[in-house]
Amino acid sequence: MAIRKKPNWKAPRIGAAELALLETLSNASGVSGNEAAIRRIVQEEINGLADDVVVDAVGNLLVTKKGRGQNLPRVMLAAHMDEVGFMITGDDGDGIFRIETVGGVDERTLAGKPVWVGEKRQPGVIGAKPVHLTTASERSSALTLDALRIDLGPASAKKARVGDWATFATEFTRVGPSLRGKALDDRLGVTTLITLLKHAPANIDLLAAFTVQEEIGLRGARVAGYAMKPDIAIALDCTPAMDLPRWDGSENTQYRSKLDGGPAIYVADGSTLADPRLVTHLQAVGDAYGIPYQLRQPGSGGTDAGAIHKTRDGVPSISVSVPARYLHTPAAIARLDDWKNSLALLHAALTHIDRDLLKGAR
Amino acid sequence: MKEIIRQLVETTGPSGYESDVRALVKKMLKGQVDSMKVDALGNLITRKGKKSKDGLTVMLSAHMDEIGIIATHIDDNGFVRFTSVGGVFPRNTAGGRVRFLKTGQVGVIGMESHKNQSSVPGLEKMYIDVGASKRSDVKVSVGDVAAFDRPFEDLGTRLVSKAMDDRIGVAVLMEVMKQLKTTPHEVVGVFSTQEEVGTRGATTAAYGVDPDLGIALDVTLTGDTPNADTMAVSLGNGPAIKVKDGGMISDPRVVAWMEAGAKRARLPYQMEVLTGGTTDARSIQMTRAGVPVGCVSIPCRYVHSPSEMVDYGDVQNSVKLLLALLSKPVQLR
Amino acid sequence: MLETKDLLKQMIQVSGLSGHEAPIREVIEPAWKPLTDEMHTSRLGSLHARKHGSGPAPRPSIAIVTHMDAIGLIVKQIDSEGLLHVDQIGGLDPRVLPSQMVMVHTQGGDLPGLLVMPPAHCLPEEDASGAPQLKHLRVDTGLRPTAARRQVRVGDLISFASKPVELDGDLLAGHSLDNRASVAVLTEALRLLGRRKHAWDVWAVATAQEEETLFGATTSGYALRPTLAVVIDVTFAKSPSAPAHRTYDQNKGPTLDWGPNTHPKFHREMEKLAKRLEIPVQEAVYSKSSGTDAILLQVTVEGIPTVVVGIPLRYMHTPVEVVNTKDIERASRLLAEFVSALDETFMDKIRLDKTDEN
């Protein structure tokens, strides 16, 4: 069943409004378990767009946008609201606080960074011992959490407490053809999903799940998938582009995905074997519409699809990610073009979903 | 039954790509069961018998999938880089052969220079040589899946092949479904998918079936080879009744029921405590409000290698044990 | 002081790496212009500004010396992906570099960049985990390879781009507070001296190249031949993981360095004055070198009596250095008071061949 480009199809635009929304979302704090600020922004943005909006028991924002007609395929799109960050776990006094990471943050990127702590985003820094006072052998071992503290200053000793969340204080910016900011994983997906809700195709019931706690084990998606009971699920996420040259110039064969390669379609990751029918569908749509895409290198890692596809009696699932470098550090870099193509591919793919799609053998 | 086993193990079906195995099982079971259906994750769910007053819905699960590999990159010189689907041991791969599902292309697994002979390099240091002299001759693309390629060998009482894990379970389950004539139970034979990547198929199948009792049919390791890790399971000593493995504790009532059943039927059996690994039973156990589960294991040497070995007597006795167990009402106590 | 704080915030948002101080000099010049009587730039790029004293000419002079250069990075190579390999300017701990925001100063203008550590598989196995090493770090400008190679050239400078952050309790965080905090002290002292009489000439000096060579201070000393010199530089403030015996409290005033690198009697005079005025100071002891411009300034020409005033700074040489602006205020007051107290007897008071009266 070949896919032909619909003559009147137009990709939803990513313009100033969408970029501004991404910026707002990227700058906002929403570490796993504390996604309220992000949820508020999303809720405001989708106000009046949907047939049903629910905030569930764990904090997922579950939005239903019905298509035109009866018995339409129920297609769940999931984007996680949470980001990696920190939690204050100890108070050393005088405004000095111990932290633990939430989600997979590379501890080696912490030293020397400004942070925002707590609901009021109290500014602070993660310092490091002056280089003058270090020995060569000290400098040859990585700075681990044990040696790092958040410093809010003595006057702020009471302005944070154990249990508060903290994020990197990184401000979103555009650099040339690229987007740079914290939490692009997965505020890019969140913005894509909001945009898709605004341009929802009529041939499906669109079930938009803005999920929580993805970074600590796909925990929000698990209950969202159960509640939504979809026929098909697609996780919209960010995937690492580890496409830098190798130190010796030899071929980089483990790049996972590449910047400028277009949306990364998953075949297999650590959590999901994507439904082959959906892989074929997305590739066919990309080919028919002339939208570039890449197949994410199979390997480790996981997305909300990992939880959703195992809910109830199973959900055919796949993930589509925007490739981005330096995920889970204070700032990631993604290409605007890859984002635009991700949105276009998803939108086009949704318009071609019907109940026959899953009739063939898996 | 040996011919059925040969056909099953020589069919390819890495996790997520079980359709050829499923088609074969469907063909072989045609007319032998009351119903067959395929669920969203590709599990083949077959049913036989009606649940009588003192009967249960009993789910038997044997997984169709086998370990395999998946292409991650075609390098500049036409070598295919890959990663595992399921628990592939790097030490068992170099020099082996694989066959790609889509194209049928065969490749040989090679290894980059590796000076330290006392260690085994990871899969990222290995590659598949499909015999291409340049990149453009390679018909494989990123995401293409391949299975290990090794023919079935009948050594008399012992059978050897790739994918004995768990086609031997599939063979046993098929025989049980075929031979089961009278039962007070609704017996649901699930030929599950994606076991090797974390018992995912059984998770959704069990939710759909909503059984009263679950039994996995899978292979287990043995302790009967030179300098093996300690394990009181040997090839040829009968089916193993699992007490515990790395991911599941069998319901003691189910274990007792199986043991009593084996004794009554005068069948050889052995008790199994497996240190690592797990089976579909784990997923069935944690389904919905919980399900009492057990597992009948077929002892197997060299698991997750291209030459997995089972004892034909153990296989036949497993079928007999299950038939004996399922032909009577179950009292768990 | 409010004005000085704004100036400081402005100063820590410009570059001015060692040997390339023009951007920071251009910020200091207009700030000093109304506060001084004459101004020129040295052959090495140090800024010299004189405020005339009221005494009869030829007047003795006191030089207040603060280095204005900052640490940073420089482009060493541009790779196939358009990523920049870097070398350091000044002393850096590579462990604080991954994920820092930087600015690449190209001939075609400034380009925001991100310092990154490549993924493990892009590094030699022995370096894949463990401490980040400078040779493996890259700057990603977000540009595509050809555009990056077109715009950036080897030798372009890279400065930190972290913005100033005000923390509660008079704290200011940012990069290059070493030593722009001391430039702020000097500026504020000049402002205070505008309102009081002083007999001696004052040379306000913002030196170049302290972080690399110390050549700015020694050449300025040679050119200006001051009678006395005060070097103001930042010193280590108490902070987590820094050794307590080599660090000083914030908000307890500046430090006065004691050791062979400073003039003992000049030091004691400064200390006495602080005590009299009830300005808190802390004594800092250095057995060999003060680690400041004083190293060479003290031994310039026939030798210059030099003292060192320190401003306690947390997390020195990271992009999140933290200073307490109260310490800046106290140091400026101490300096202004000291300068206005200088008279024709002072040099005699600190003669080393004279036995102490007590």
Side-chain angles (χ1 to χ4, degrees), chain A residues 32 80 82-84 102-104 185-186 212-219 237 304 328:
Chain A
S32 310
H80 66 89
D82 60 314
E83 65 185 293
V84 298
V102 178
D185 172 9
D186 182 30
V212 298
Q213 301 192 22
E214 193 269 357
E215 297 292 1
I216 53 170
L218 323 178
R219 297 166 56 79
D237 213 327
D304 276 345
H328 292 204

Side-chain angles (χ1 to χ4, degrees), chain A residues 92 94 96 106 108-114 122-135 138-143 147 149-156 159 170-171 173-178 180 241-248 252-256 259-260 325-326 329-333 335-337, chain C residues 79-81 83 91-102 112-114 116-125 127-132 136 138 140-145 162-163 165-171 173 178 211 236-237 239-243 246-247 250 313-322:
Chain A
D92 290 359
D94 287 334
I96 304 284
D106 187 342
R108 294 177 297 172
T109 64
L110 267 56
K113 303 299 180 313
Q122 187 71 28
V125 299
I126 301 174
K129 190 174 178 179
V131 59
H132 324 64
L133 303 179
T134 61
T135 60
E138 245 179 296
R139 290 195 297 277
S140 69
S141 42
L143 283 167
R149 299 287 185 277
I150 284 182
D151 185 352
L152 297 179
S156 305
K159 293 208 173 132
T170 306
E171 281 175 17
T173 179
R174 286 182 63 185
V175 282
S178 305
R180 188 178 86 184
M242 304 197 290
D243 55 345
L244 279 70
R246 301 192 76 214
W247 84 100
D248 58 356
N252 180 351
T253 60
Q254 299 172 63
Y255 43 84
R256 188 69 58 83
L259 289 196
D260 284 325
R325 287 179 181 162
Y326 326 122
T329 73
I333 289 179
R335 293 273 198 265
L336 178 57
D337 283 352
Chain C
D79 72 19
S80 58
E81 189 59 30
L83 301 172
L92 280 168
D93 186 341
R95 295 177 300 169
V96 306
L97 296 181
S99 298
Q100 292 295 356
M101 307 293 165
V102 294
L114 178 65
V116 298
M117 193 165 42
H121 73 273
C122 297
L123 301 174
E125 229 166 286
D127 297 345
S129 58
H136 295 312
R138 304 286 180 260
D140 191 332
T141 58
L143 296 184
R144 299 200 166 96
S162 47
K163 294 204 179 109
V165 184
E166 289 196 52
L167 308 184
D168 289 355
D170 306 304
L171 299 184
D178 173 3
E211 299 290 0
F236 309 114
S239 62
S241 81
R246 294 185 66 184
T247 53
Q250 285 194 319
L313 184 75
R314 286 188 175 183
Y315 318 124
M316 198 187 293
H317 284 209
T318 77
V320 293
E321 296 173 329
V322 176

Side-chain angles (χ1 to χ4, degrees), chain B residues 188-313:
Chain B
V188 184
V190 172
F191 299 89
S192 68
T193 58
Q194 302 193 26
E195 193 272 351
E196 296 292 359
V197 292
T199 65
R200 295 179 192 163
T203 305
T204 63
Y207 185 94
V209 170
D210 195 9
D212 303 311
L213 173 65
I215 302 169
L217 313 179
D218 209 333
V219 298
T220 191
L221 309 182
T222 68
D224 60 350
T225 51
N227 201 16
D229 290 332
T230 306
M231 187 169 176
V233 172
S234 304
L235 232 51
N237 283 6
I241 296 171
K242 190 187 292 278
V243 180
K244 176 188 182 301
D245 64 26
M248 188 230 23
I249 300 163
S250 297
D251 191 307
R253 298 167 300 176
V254 175
V255 173
W257 165 67
M258 285 181 172
E259 212 180 338
K263 278 185 184 150
R264 204 168 46 235
R266 296 174 191 281
L267 290 169
Y269 71 92
Q270 41 193 337
M271 303 310 287
E272 172 204 349
V273 175
L274 178 65
T275 316
T278 196
T279 71
D280 281 348
R282 170 185 162 84
S283 285
I284 303 169
Q285 190 173 45
M286 65 182 293
T287 297
R288 297 192 189 232
V291 180
V293 297
C295 176
V296 173
S297 300
I298 298 109
C300 180
R301 289 179 184 163
Y302 322 120
V303 172
H304 287 203
S305 84
S307 301
E308 299 172 330
M309 181 188 286
V310 298
D311 180 273
Y312 192 51

Side-chain angles (χ1 to χ4, degrees), chain C residues 137-184:
Chain C
L137 297 180
R138 304 286 180 260
V139 170
D140 191 332
T141 58
L143 296 184
R144 299 200 166 96
T146 40
R149 281 198 297 271
R150 199 168 52 231
Q151 197 164 338
V152 183
R153 67 178 182 104
V154 170
D156 281 349
L157 299 171
I158 301 169
S159 61
F160 291 110
S162 47
K163 294 204 179 109
V165 184
E166 289 196 52
L167 308 184
D168 289 355
D170 306 304
L171 299 184
L172 181 65
H175 69 82
S176 306
L177 282 168
D178 173 3
N179 186 34
R180 313 268 161 93
S182 303
V183 178

Side-chain angles (χ1 to χ4, degrees), chain A residues 35-108:
Chain A
E35 300 86 353
I38 311 304
R39 192 167 50 235
R40 275 195 297 275
I41 297 168
V42 178
Q43 267 179 312
E44 201 163 296
E45 200 61 34
I46 61 161
N47 192 20
L49 281 177
D51 299 292
D52 187 38
V53 179
V54 177
V55 176
D56 74 7
V58 294
N60 293 309
L61 179 64
L62 306 180
V63 182
T64 307
K65 169 92 178 154
K66 286 194 183 324
R68 275 196 300 276
Q70 295 301 308
N71 195 29
L72 298 175
R74 293 167 58 79
V75 181
M76 175 176 179
L77 301 181
H80 66 89
M81 296 187 286
D82 60 314
E83 65 185 293
V84 298
F86 317 100
M87 184 182 268
I88 305 267
T89 54
D91 183 346
D92 290 359
D94 287 334
I96 304 284
F97 296 92
R98 273 173 188 267
I99 47 173
E100 276 176 23
T101 53
V102 178
V105 186
D106 187 342
E107 291 177 18
R108 294 177 297 172

Side-chain angles (χ1 to χ4, degrees), chain A residues 227-288:
Chain A
M228 288 186 138
K229 272 179 96 164
D231 298 315
I232 290 174
I234 308 176
L236 317 183
D237 213 327
C238 257
T239 197
M242 304 197 290
D243 55 345
L244 279 70
R246 301 192 76 214
W247 84 100
D248 58 356
S250 61
E251 187 177 355
N252 180 351
T253 60
Q254 299 172 63
Y255 43 84
R256 188 69 58 83
S257 69
K258 293 180 176 176
L259 289 196
D260 284 325
I265 300 172
Y266 287 54
V267 179
D269 67 13
S271 73
T272 319
L273 294 162
D275 191 297
R277 295 166 295 191
L278 297 177
V279 179
T280 309
H281 178 68
L282 285 163
Q283 287 184 280
V285 169
D287 293 340

